[in-house]
Amino acid sequence: MYDIVIIGAGIVGAMTARELSKYLLSVCILDKESDVAMGATKANSAIIHAGYDPKEGTLKARLNVLGSEMMPQIAEELGVRYINNGSLVIGFNDEDAEKIKTLYRRGIANGVKKLALLDKDELLNLESNISKNAVCALYAPTSGITCPYELAIAAIGNAMDNGVDLKLNFKVEEIKKNEDGYEVISSFESVKAKYIINAAGLFADDIAKMAGDTSFSIHPRKGEYLLLDKECGSLVSHTIFGTPTEKGKGILITPTVDGNLLLGPTSVDITDKTDTSTTFDGIETILSQVNKYVNSIPFNRVITSFSGLRAVGGTGDFIIKFSNDNFISVAGIESPGLSAAPAIARYVAGMLKETGIRLEKKKKFNPYRKSMHFFKNLSDEEKNRLIRENRKYARIVCRCEMVSEGEIIDAIRSNPKATNLDAVKRRTRSGMGRCQGGFCSPYILDILSEELKIPVEHITKSGGASNIIIGRTKGGEQW
Amino acid sequence: MVKSTDLVIIGGGPAGMSAAISAYNNGIRDILILERAETLGGILQQCIHNGFGIHKFNEELTGPEYSWRYEKQILELKIPYKLNTMVTEFTRDKIITAVNEQDGIFKIKAKAVILATGCRERPRGALNIPGTRPSGIFTAGTAQKYINIKGYMPGKSVVILGSGDIGLIMARRMTLEGAEVKAVCEIMPYPGGRARNVEQCLNDFNIPLKLSHTVVEIHGKHRLTGVTIAKVDENKKPVPGTEEYISCDTLLLSVGLIPENELAKSAGIELDSVTGGAVVDQNRQTSVKGIFACGNALHVHDLVDYVSEEAEIAGKSAADYIKNNGMSPGSFARNIIIKTGGGIRYTVPRKITSITDAKIYFRTSGIYRNAKISIKEGERVVASIKKKRVVPAEMEMIKLTGDNIREIKGGIVTFELEGLHD
Ligand SMILES: Cc1cc2nc3c(=O)[nH]c(=O)nc-3n(C[C@H](O)[C@H](O)[C@H](O)COP(=O)(O)OP(=O)(O)OC[C@H]3O[C@@H](n4cnc5c(N)ncnc54)[C@H](O)[C@@H]3O)c2cc1C
């Protein structure tokens, strides 16, 4: 029997698990996927928003501003990359200028610091590649960028290092309420807990229903992206938004913490909560929009495209409420959910406290986690010292991103453990470079097989039936 | 601690090996080949089909056999090499940083460097094919490595996008391993690979080649379940209504090779926007003196025989450069730029800097019959060749003699093609 079970290992579940790992509580986090951060947290814009977008007085506004203020320290503790690059909302006409002023006033009301309105010259001074048609901008120097799945992986890893359990491939199908708490059931196993935190993203409505709460429903809204080669990352240094419309913040252009250039997202309501395919129209929409904001984007340098699904709750605000006794739902966590996540976690801890649960701090809580990219950041001398201890740090497996076998083994062995190719990729960046895994995946497949002691045929790209090879050609084995 | 070496060759494939032997034969002894793989031979090790060496040895060898001919010489001449060694940094003052298990991270300062790092395949992302992101999508070369090196079978029902040579070879290879290759789609109206490969790898196995077709959507949540293909118009845009669904568990991509030029870039070497490799003169010297390039790292070749030939030039040039204490081969007696006219996609080299024989490789931009390719200075023809048929997939060559070059008075010559466009 756990004190608390968290359903969903996205950024909300991750930050909540880490927050709760500070206390003397037994906590377990569950996810239906083969790795953490496989939902909205995997594919989004990665912006730590300053907080001028959400309407004054909403929970969204409050938690966004607070979360984004907490982010630099959390990123530092977790060894996750965070760059305070600032953002610009640019306007092209009087109507845009009015909207930008509204955003400015809203930001001030929300408590966003250092906001400024810029005229054309000031804008072009900050970003020389912005379209000459732009006339004004809102400048938010506190806005930043991070790597969202890296943040979630690190938060869960740190929570696990501090005693939290993680169960993957655990798809919650049913929840039973009994005298001493809840039983959370999948097709294969079940766990018991006194408290449940529902952080199931797009599926938070289904989970709430299992506890008898039908007060909200979540629908998916797709956002597609194009990612450009690292050579293009310096085209702009700030995150560039157009003026928002009813449909949201619109398409943005931003450098990523890896130095790539990210274009997107589109915004299309769909019905299938698992449809993360990219579309011809999506790609066209992005291409036609971004040209208006920034000059000479090298579209021939696209290295990949992807899409993410927003969990739209329909209330215009985050839905954070008790769905039943000792059962908290954290739902409708649309953008700026990533930015707000640390504050959401604290808010949820506060709600738990109200129920009378004892939140006693652990003496041994260690807030720090070694960066997944620690090896890269060492000097040559320090690297050589490590190499002498472990020769595998000198065996480069991914040549585009220069990732060694030692780093790949670290990713497979440290919390939360990588068990497939994409999971290794998200932790080490192997396979994320120009060749997109063509060179390194055959090697990583063998390393995974050896480390996990399972046959290569069973190693997958991203869990489920996504196996890479179907059998052997040599040695007479049949496929 | 920085070690000094006369000549460092980055890459131990056919280009690197041939360049090393050529430098040795031209008097250089202090040579070091750095190779990131566990063996010499580069991509040839996984090319177990035959067809290598027809020009060079008058024999049809397999990739590993061709490679062995050079490896044997490297061993006999005792030319030093380091395997499992990755070059991580390279500067224009020829300081190389590399890493391997024995030496850790180490630095070498070279008098001359030859870049022979080969090429890599264009991945899916570069194509922007819409759809899901399942497993079962491989570049043709990666599938080749799985089958021929690892002994793993990537899938059993296959569509191949792109008709580059590796794609064609893999159509046959997968068929021989018992897989069903359902179609090869090529967006261009002509095949990307050599005619011989179309014949022997597709036609002989009744594998349909769909010209002017591309993949417009990818299906499958976990493993690939199928692709939608469609016909394309002259602008390579899919024609609505021509979509066709093909179920398959594997999609191989053979959509182009790109010279591996990260190191060239980091050294600030001028690159050619068409080939993706360095801009070189006839001695295969790049824009940075003492740094040479050859093989697929310079431009993508269709026959390894020409890679070896080109690498011999680079090896000799590097040797001359070292022996002349950093004087460039031919001492920049000329400064002639080669321009491309109609029908010609690119030439390598793009510069002539000395009065020495120059082998100029080129590719055409389309298929032409009864073609006459000339190098002209103004209206004067410096040299020309005639070909019954030229195709972009097959590299061609014109040789300029020292005398030809001496006759060129100005700073520009133009490559021109006359012929019937197919
Ligand atoms: C296109 C797009 C762009 C965005 N851009 C930004 C941005 O720039 N800045 C920002 O701050 N925010 C942004 N967001 C919002 C942000 O990504 C989300 O708010 C955040 O990732 C939500 O995290 P989550 O943990 O609530 O959900 P998720 O990450 O979706 O996690 C939910 C988890 O629950 C699991 N789960 C679901 N059902 C079950 C079940 N039955 N059993 C077990 N596990 C289950 C899922 O597998 C998943 O891992 C963006 C979102 C999208 C889609």
Side-chain angles (χ1 to χ4, degrees), chain A residues 231 274 277-278 303-305 384 391 395 399 434 438 446 461 466-468 470-474 479, chain B residues 36 86 100-101 105 123 125 130-131 133 135 138 142 148 150-153 156 177 221 223 262 265:
Chain A
E231 272 165 27
T274 65
S277 62
T278 50
I303 59 169
T304 190
S305 54
N384 272 337
R391 298 281 160 189
R395 211 182 163 85
R399 65 188 185 193
R434 298 190 170 88
D446 284 346
K461 176 174 182 285
S466 66
N467 54 314
I468 317 270
I470 60 164
R472 314 271 176 147
T473 57
K474 295 174 183 154
W479 45 268
Chain B
R36 69 183 160 217
M86 181 80 180
N100 67 27
E101 291 176 65
I105 298 167
R133 318 194 62 74
S135 68
F138 307 87
T142 303
N148 292 348
K150 299 270 178 194
Y152 301 157
M153 194 61 188
K156 55 178 180 286
E177 285 296 336
K221 285 221 161 100
R223 177 83 193 194
E262 303 317 311
K265 269 188 209 158

Side-chain angles (χ1 to χ4, degrees), chain A residues 7-13 30-33 35-49 170-173 199-204 207 210 221-225 252 265-266 308-311 318 330 333-340:
Chain A
I7 303 170
I11 193 63
V12 170
L30 311 176
D31 203 288
K32 63 181 167 63
E33 300 295 332
D35 191 17
V36 304
M38 293 286 282
T41 302
K42 184 174 69 173
N44 57 59
S45 310
I47 312 301
I48 304 305
H49 291 287
F170 191 117
K171 182 175 183 194
V172 178
E173 306 268 11
L202 268 174
F203 301 89
I207 299 289
M210 294 178 199
R221 185 176 292 160
K222 189 186 278 188
E224 293 186 43
Y225 292 93
L252 61 85
T266 56
L309 301 179
R310 304 171 181 84
F318 293 156
V330 187
I333 310 298
E334 304 167 52
S335 186
L338 172 67
S339 323

Side-chain angles (χ1 to χ4, degrees), chain A residues 374-412:
Chain A
F374 81 98
F375 190 77
K376 283 205 165 50
N377 301 329
L378 299 176
S379 68
D380 282 359
E381 290 72 40
E382 292 170 316
K383 280 183 187 163
N384 272 337
R385 192 159 3 96
L386 268 186
I387 288 170
R388 278 192 293 275
E389 284 165 26
N390 179 0
R391 298 281 160 189
K392 290 187 168 157
Y393 284 117
R395 211 182 163 85
I396 303 294
V397 174
C398 167
R399 65 188 185 193
C400 302
E401 298 290 324
M402 297 286 175
V403 185
S404 67
E405 185 173 343
E407 292 163 275
I408 287 169
I409 292 177
D410 283 348
I412 300 172

Side-chain angles (χ1 to χ4, degrees), chain A residues 85 88 123-131 228-240 252-256 259-263 290-291 293-301:
Chain A
N85 68 325
L88 291 164
L123 171 60
L124 290 174
N125 261 338
L126 269 186
E127 279 295 354
S128 55
N129 286 323
I130 293 274
S131 159
L228 273 61
D229 193 278
K230 283 189 181 174
E231 272 165 27
C232 320
S234 51
L235 195 67
V236 294
S237 61
H238 300 81
T239 300
I240 313 293
L252 61 85
I253 302 170
T254 186
T256 71
N260 299 80
L261 190 72
L262 183 67
L263 314 177
V290 289
N291 265 334
Y293 306 159
V294 172
N295 305 320
S296 51
I297 296 174
F299 292 122
N300 58 346
R301 305 310 304 273

Side-chain angles (χ1 to χ4, degrees), chain B residues 38 102 150 201 250 300 320 365:
Chain B
E38 43 279 290
Q102 287 74 44
K150 299 270 178 194
C201 300
T250 305
V300 176
D320 289 348
S365 54

